Amino acid sequence: MRHFVRNALVAAAAVVLASCATPPAPLPATMGPGVVKVTPLGGFDGEFCAQDRALVFEDPNGTRVLYDPGRSVVGANDPRLGKIDVILVTHMHGDHVGNAHTRAVGAGTCAAPDMSVSQIPNSLAVNIALAKKAKIVTGSDMPSFFAAKLRANGGNPADSILARFGGSVVVGGVRIATVTAMHSNGLDPDYIPGDLGKHMKEAGIWGDVGLATGYVVRFSNGLAVYLSGDTGVTADQERVVRDLYRAQLAVMNIGDGFTTGPAEAAYVMNDLVKPAAVIASHANEAATQGGQVRAGTKTEAFMKAAKMPVHIPLSGRTMSFDAAGKCTAGC
């Protein structure tokens, strides 16, 4: 009997030790019907240009998510927007939140678009949210800024929703989580009315709205999409974006100088995130001409270095992706 009890205790201890040594399972990657449609809203039809950031993701259930409106959306009434349910803003720099916007599609040049219509002090993101009655989902300490802007303009401050690191929210059947982005996130004093903003501007001080973020968005068909925002290389791109969320499609900044360049972005994709496909973003160059990638560009260098399909976000050209991150149309 003593031998039986001892052996049972040893077996039980082994089970406990094994369970402690086993890492937690990643989030389940459920597969569902339908495809996620991705439509770039750039400054020039059929091209990928220097200031292009904005993408609209449409879930199979009809929920539409605008990612980083930037400066290439022609105001809140741009007919290309259509219905917008959710706006994601990675950080407060003007080329993402929209301190200004293009005068018209095709204004200026692809390398230097005409972005001369001011959106100060609200931002293009706020003005679109007001016009579309959309939710703004952000992380860090950005939600309170957006709530105050919505309130000041007759909107509902509750439409500014927090999704802080390690948590997520569901809006319109789409689950949104924030992830690390290694980047600055100061708030331009131009957004702050009165003497406070004036004195901050004179002193060269920007407001603190917390850390910049990226996102992982899981759509109702099961597709998880990593939206890098502006970032450098981080360990979280492997341990969180890949191991936990299992992102199969990525939108990766490649512009260099301010963010990862082509070589660094390719390393993130090839060795850390390892998605099935990637959409190039934030190239800071006239990347295409006639819809074809120009030779000698950072975009071409990234395409050559990446080991998975790289899709170029040509403005107005809708791409469709299944739950596994494979492009099924438009690429």
Side-chain angles (χ1 to χ4, degrees):
M1 175 64 73
R2 284 182 296 176
H3 290 299
F4 174 80
V5 171
R6 183 182 65 185
N7 290 341
L9 290 173
V10 169
V15 170
V16 171
L17 289 173
S19 65
C20 292
T22 302
L27 296 181
T30 56
M31 303 286 280
V35 294
V36 174
K37 297 179 181 178
V38 185
T39 305
L41 302 184
F44 288 74
D45 286 340
E47 304 290 1
F48 179 32
C49 296
Q51 286 288 317
D52 291 359
R53 310 284 188 265
L55 299 171
V56 174
F57 292 82
E58 183 172 328
D59 189 90
N61 70 17
T63 297
R64 286 170 59 86
V65 179
L66 173 61
Y67 168 58
D68 274 351
R71 297 168 175 151
S72 63
V73 175
V74 190
N77 296 316
D78 187 330
R80 300 177 301 170
L81 285 169
K83 178 176 76 84
I84 297 295
D85 302 292
V86 182
I87 300 170
L88 305 180
V89 178
T90 56
H91 62 292
M92 298 305 302
H93 292 169
D95 61 324
H96 290 259
V97 70
N99 64 338
H101 68 72
T102 185
R103 189 167 295 282
V105 174
T109 67
C110 188
D114 177 355
M115 305 289 173
S116 57
V117 183
S118 175
Q119 293 292 281
I120 296 296
N122 287 346
S123 79
L124 183 55
V126 168
N127 288 336
I128 293 172
L130 291 166
K132 303 294 184 179
K133 294 182 170 39
K135 312 292 186 186
I136 303 176
V137 178
T138 51
S140 201
D141 293 325
M142 292 182 280
S144 58
F145 166 79
F146 287 114
K149 287 295 184 185
L150 292 173
R151 183 187 300 110
N153 289 276
N156 184 359
D159 285 341
S160 177
I161 299 174
L162 169 68
R164 196 163 279 157
F165 299 115
S168 62
V169 296
V170 177
V171 183
V174 174
R175 182 171 292 277
I176 302 163
T178 49
V179 294
T180 302
M182 188 61 65
H183 195 65
S184 59
N185 191 29
L187 177 69
D188 192 321
D190 286 343
Y191 293 109
I192 303 171
D195 288 341
L196 176 59
K198 179 180 178 230
H199 294 323
M200 290 175 67
K201 190 82 168 179
E202 290 171 349
I205 297 172
W206 284 40
D208 180 11
V209 288
L211 301 171
T213 70
Y215 293 94
V216 175
V217 183
R218 186 174 297 278
F219 293 93
S220 65
N221 69 339
L223 175 65
V225 181
Y226 170 47
L227 307 174
S228 71
D230 281 7
T231 188
V233 181
T234 75
D236 285 358
Q237 289 160 332
E238 177 181 11
R239 300 313 306 273
V240 178
V241 176
R242 185 182 89 192
D243 292 349
L244 177 61
Y245 291 119
R246 294 180 175 180
Q248 288 301 308
L249 176 64
V251 177
M252 188 68 199
N253 49 247
I254 65 170
D256 216 354
F258 303 101
T259 71
T260 51
E264 293 86 354
Y267 169 74
V268 170
M269 292 296 100
N270 295 339
D271 294 272
L272 302 182
V273 179
K274 298 183 178 180
V278 56
I279 298 172
S281 181
H282 199 296
N284 291 344
E285 64 183 358
T288 63
Q289 185 172 9
Q292 301 298 312
V293 174
R294 296 171 59 239
T297 59
K298 289 174 283 189
T299 303
E300 182 191 53
F302 176 65
M303 292 180 69
K304 288 181 176 179
K307 296 177 181 177
M308 69 287 299
V310 175
H311 303 300
I312 304 304
L314 301 177
S315 181
R317 307 286 178 85
T318 298
M319 300 173 279
S320 299
F321 293 89
D322 65 16
K326 179 182 178 181
C327 184
T328 60
C331 297

